[in-house]
Amino acid sequence: MFESVRVLSFTHFLQGPSAVQMLSDLGAEVIKIEPATGAWERHWAGSDAFIDGVSVFYLLANRNQRSLALDLRTDEAKKIIYRLVKETDVVVENYRPGVMARLGFGYPRLQEINPRLVYCSCTGFGSDGPYRDRPGQDLLLQCMSGMATLSGERNGPPVAVGASIIDQHAAVLAAFGVAAALFERKRTGKGRLIESNLLNAALDLQIEPF
């Protein structure tokens, strides 16, 4: 379905990588941009779960992808990224708001290079608002959004869901947004900015109790 689509992935942890993996599972060519030391998730796994020295946490959200190690603060890396962006359909990133722009890879800059680019930004709380610069994390958002109060006994304390459902749902919403933007691009010839965040995903999961 997406065999002709190239994705540059500036993602880490779970929300971003899961969104990108969904695109790769649909046939997209994904290039994961990593630091020279390797992505953070290569070096960590819950319960210290490694298979032949490879993190299970890394394996669960990074299949069907190639990797490119770059120090994004260098001019050489910028030249490489800008060259790739010219032939890229989608960029997905999940740094805190403002980080990609400071590095020289914000949406306005990359759109200048490639007006057809679909740019997806995955965050904890969105690109504006009082929590904009706070880090987001699944368990934190389960508590902040009230989701944890929906589990457990009636008179007991809040109980978190036993899986990273907010990360995963935010990833689905991001991938869905990218797919919609690619479909729109066929009609308009123009890319656009897509945003997905953990707080919106947490609230979306609670439309029935709300």
Side-chain angles (χ1 to χ4, degrees):
M1 181 182 298
F2 284 170
E3 283 78 7
S4 62
V5 173
R6 170 181 280 180
V7 179
L8 284 187
S9 172
F10 297 83
T11 65
H12 43 276
F13 304 121
L14 187 56
Q15 178 192 9
S18 287
V20 170
Q21 182 170 266
M22 293 173 199
L23 301 175
S24 70
D25 285 347
L26 292 174
E29 175 196 8
V30 175
I31 302 174
K32 183 179 178 74
I33 307 300
E34 304 185 32
T37 55
W40 179 88
E41 56 268 26
R42 287 183 183 271
H43 308 292
W44 181 89
S47 301
D48 200 30
F50 288 80
I51 297 178
D52 295 331
V54 180
S55 163
V56 172
F57 183 69
Y58 176 81
L59 292 174
L60 65 86
N62 290 277
R63 64 173 171 262
N64 298 333
Q65 302 176 34
R66 295 188 292 171
S67 296
L68 177 62
L70 293 172
D71 182 349
L72 296 179
R73 297 166 296 182
T74 66
D75 291 338
E76 183 180 4
K78 287 181 173 58
K79 292 178 182 177
I80 293 171
I81 294 298
Y82 294 156
R83 187 166 68 245
L84 286 171
V85 165
K86 291 179 181 179
E87 301 177 352
T88 290
D89 299 284
V90 179
V91 164
V92 181
E93 62 91 8
N94 69 324
Y95 286 91
R96 293 190 200 180
V99 171
M100 287 287 281
R102 289 196 297 272
L103 289 170
F105 309 124
Y107 175 62
R109 178 69 184 97
L110 298 190
Q111 186 192 37
E112 290 178 357
I113 299 171
N114 181 357
R116 290 174 52 83
L117 183 69
V118 173
Y119 190 107
C120 179
S121 181
C122 302
T123 62
F125 299 95
S127 60
D128 57 16
Y131 289 176
R132 173 184 182 273
D133 296 321
R134 294 191 181 189
Q137 190 265 350
D138 190 280
L139 183 58
L140 173 66
L141 267 298
Q142 287 193 41
C143 297
M144 289 186 67
S145 68
M147 176 173 287
T149 65
L150 303 177
S151 301
E153 300 179 359
R154 179 181 295 273
N155 297 319
V159 177
V161 178
S164 298
I165 61 171
I166 296 177
D167 269 318
Q168 289 297 103
H169 188 53
V172 171
L173 295 176
F176 182 74
V178 168
L182 288 172
F183 182 81
E184 180 191 51
R185 192 181 70 174
K186 287 188 174 182
R187 177 173 57 85
T188 66
K190 297 180 180 179
R192 67 163 52 241
L193 174 64
I194 301 295
E195 293 190 16
S196 178
N197 68 72
L198 298 179
L199 180 58
N200 281 358
L203 298 177
D204 187 55
L205 286 169
Q206 299 178 78
I207 55 174
E208 187 274 331
F210 283 165

